[in-house]
Amino acid sequence: SNSARTDRGVHSCAQVCSCKIILPSNKTTDDVRQLINQHLPDDIRILDVVRTTRNFCARTSRGRVRYQYMLPSYLLFPRESLKDTFEQVGCTDAQNRPPRDPLTDHETSCLQQNRKFMEYRALPEQLQSLRDALQSFQGTNTFHNYTRGLSHKDASASRYIVSFTVGEPVLSPISTSVNDTKMQVEWVPTQVVGQSFLLNQIRKMISMAVDVARGFATMDSLKESLSNCKMKTGTAPAEGLFLDMSYYDGYNNRGVSEPLDWVRNGQDETPAMQRWKKFKEEQVMNKITQEGFSHEQFLKYLFIQEFIFDKERSIEDGHNEDDHTAVISANAETATLNNGDSNKGDDDESRSQNANKTEQSETQPSA
């Protein structure tokens, strides 16, 4: 079993898998790690192999999980200037465009060469608004509007979020096709810790919070989306999201001989933690922030929010005594760029970078 399933296109730096391994008497668990890695590409790595109890299951034993979403600051570009920016490259008519892939390669290329747009820096008040919006998701809430196929009456729609935070913006260079010049794109890191997440839940929460921060939705609308009403919400691109850490506090507190922890005594980094940091920086973060494909998806998402949303907000209310419908963001079915089919989190089927911490059930070593 594995600790989490992710949406298609979502990366992973701390996936935990449980399996049975026959360990030769002359080999250590670290030998197993190195042997497996010899047969894997650089963007898939085993970070550690740890002995566990026989009944350990990576999925059911996990107590918490942390995801990180990297948000390019140009998603917060002022709306009055944003439409002008799209119009400059002819991106105005959404009527005859494919809703899932609305921009041509030429249009996305032109937008990526616009320094004023790509090098936009998030304002302090925008970052504070983003923080306030994300913190509103903390605690136990009903997230039927942040996934598909659930109503507020479904018990599985209720989820507990420990924290949702916004870090300090970071700069990352990206090359342009004009004289191979480089631009410094600003990214805003966000982290969410929870017990478990629904399909698309994190990406939809990010989308709602961004809409609040850029004035496309209000905090009242966000709070209403957590009530019994039915509300359409957008889905942010999968390319910014990755599984950052899996936690096994309950398992470790049972007094096992080898805790599943990335630090020793709560302070010292293990070799596995050092490998995790290296993989996260060189593979996942570089993949998200420096490759043009990620920017293409974010630009398409932004176009959908600005131009396709307004044409789809005429949804029937469908009122009844305890349920009503509202529209706050882009249609999830029409506007989603990447959909997976998971029940735990945000499926690493394509373009996903994966690093695993493999747990080996205790068995007798054999020759």
Side-chain angles (χ1 to χ4, degrees), residues 218-235:
T218 65
M219 284 293 293
D220 288 341
S221 299
L222 188 157
K223 293 176 181 179
E224 186 180 9
S225 71
L226 300 174
S227 68
N228 292 345
C229 79
K230 183 173 177 58
M231 182 181 293
K232 284 189 175 182
T233 54
T235 308

Side-chain angles (χ1 to χ4, degrees), residues 109-149:
S109 177
C110 290
L111 289 168
Q112 289 184 63
Q113 294 171 24
N114 187 319
R115 301 189 73 96
K116 182 179 179 181
F117 176 61
M118 295 295 290
E119 293 192 319
Y120 179 73
R121 303 296 184 251
L123 302 175
E125 55 267 31
Q126 290 178 317
L127 293 175
Q128 187 58 50
S129 179
L130 183 66
R131 289 189 182 94
D132 293 341
L134 292 176
Q135 288 176 359
S136 297
F137 293 117
Q138 293 177 175
T140 301
N141 290 288
T142 301
F143 289 97
H144 61 289
N145 287 317
Y146 292 86
T147 188
R148 292 181 293 169

Side-chain angles (χ1 to χ4, degrees), residues 142-306:
T142 301
F143 289 97
H144 61 289
N145 287 317
Y146 292 86
T147 188
R148 292 181 293 169
L150 294 180
S151 75
H152 68 277
K153 298 178 181 179
D154 292 306
S156 60
S158 178
R159 301 286 157 140
Y160 176 69
I161 293 181
V162 178
S163 63
F164 212 150
T165 59
V166 178
E168 291 300 318
V170 296
L171 297 178
S172 180
I174 182 174
S175 297
T176 69
S177 58
V178 181
N179 300 322
D180 197 32
T181 58
K182 287 186 178 292
M183 290 188 290
Q184 292 287 330
V185 178
E186 183 181 79
W187 295 79
V188 180
T190 68
Q191 286 190 342
V192 58
V193 179
Q195 293 177 329
S196 63
F197 297 93
L198 298 164
L199 170 66
N200 297 155
Q201 180 184 342
I202 297 174
R203 292 159 58 196
K204 283 179 170 290
M205 290 190 294
I206 288 289
S207 179
M208 174 63 85
V210 169
D211 281 350
V212 171
R214 70 192 193 96
F216 197 42
T218 65
M219 284 293 293
D220 288 341
S221 299
L222 188 157
K223 293 176 181 179
E224 186 180 9
S225 71
L226 300 174
S227 68
N228 292 345
C229 79
K230 183 173 177 58
M231 182 181 293
K232 284 189 175 182
T233 54
T235 308
E239 282 68 27
L241 181 64
F242 62 92
L243 171 64
D244 194 38
M245 185 62 65
S246 298
Y247 297 95
Y248 290 86
D249 300 333
Y251 174 81
N252 294 338
N253 290 336
R254 291 163 50 187
V256 294
S257 58
E258 295 187 57
L260 300 182
D261 203 343
W262 296 86
V263 293
R264 289 193 180 96
N265 301 322
Q267 297 178 345
D268 300 330
E269 290 186 0
T270 63
M273 171 62 88
Q274 296 171 3
R275 291 189 287 266
W276 171 82
K277 284 186 173 181
K278 184 174 184 291
F279 182 88
K280 177 179 177 179
E281 183 64 32
E282 295 181 359
Q283 295 293 336
V284 177
M285 296 296 286
N286 283 350
K287 179 77 174 181
I288 292 174
T289 63
Q290 295 185 19
E291 293 199 0
F293 181 81
S294 294
H295 291 288
E296 292 176 13
Q297 304 310 303
F298 282 112
L299 291 171
K300 291 172 183 177
Y301 163 78
L302 200 52
F303 179 85
I304 288 170
Q305 293 296 95
E306 279 298 322

